[in-house]
Amino acid sequence: GKKRESKWDVAPSREDLLQQHRITLLQCPKKRRECYFGNLTHGQVTEELLRAAVSQLFQALPSFTLAYPNLADPICSVTFPVPGKGHFAFVEFMDEVLANTAIQMSGFELLSRPVRI
């Protein structure tokens, strides 16, 4: 067969996506990718619960699944400043666009309480 000169018609591999993500993280400071999530139910909201809720909100956005077809979880990390006792957490997203989108979701309900972002 004919040798390919370009990879434009080949989907990126997981390694390609991870490398691109590392470059993105270096180009965009954490402060621009991190959001405050407040009014969390004391002692009941875990990292897993918060990740699942936010991922579900993003998966419901057609623009997210189109722009990020290989990204199941938009979150890099979740930090509770006071483990197990906090009413708030800091959520770091993969990029600034996702962080800004999350801010628009402020008020979504988690354990019957509106979350402030």
Side-chain angles (χ1 to χ4, degrees):
K2 187 177 159 194
K3 186 174 186 255
R4 285 194 152 126
E5 294 299 318
S6 140
K7 290 186 178 181
W8 283 103
D9 57 345
V10 177
S13 69
R14 178 159 173 74
E15 291 74 31
D16 291 340
L17 291 170
L18 288 172
Q19 180 59 30
Q20 184 59 46
H21 173 64
R22 282 187 212 98
I23 292 167
T24 301
L25 290 180
L26 290 172
Q27 291 171 345
C28 183
K30 181 178 177 180
K31 283 195 179 302
R32 299 217 322 247
R33 292 181 287 108
E34 192 172 58
C35 296
Y36 166 90
F37 277 59
N39 198 34
L40 304 177
T41 305
H42 176 73
Q44 293 184 37
V45 177
T46 62
E47 176 176 350
E48 293 75 27
L49 181 66
L50 196 53
R51 274 183 184 271
V54 172
S55 290
Q56 187 175 2
L57 289 169
F58 273 93
Q59 293 297 333
L61 297 173
S63 56
F64 170 73
T65 53
L66 280 173
Y68 301 88
N70 299 305
L71 186 63
D73 185 357
I75 295 174
C76 281
S77 68
V78 176
T79 306
F80 289 90
V82 185
K85 298 187 171 148
H87 295 278
F88 67 96
F90 292 101
V91 178
E92 181 187 352
F93 289 89
M94 295 292 185
D95 66 26
E96 193 175 2
V97 173
L98 296 173
N100 288 333
T101 303
I103 291 168
Q104 302 301 311
M105 297 174 178
S106 187
F108 81 90
E109 284 204 5
L110 185 61
L111 300 178
S112 303
R113 291 178 76 155
V115 176
R116 289 193 300 267
I117 305 173

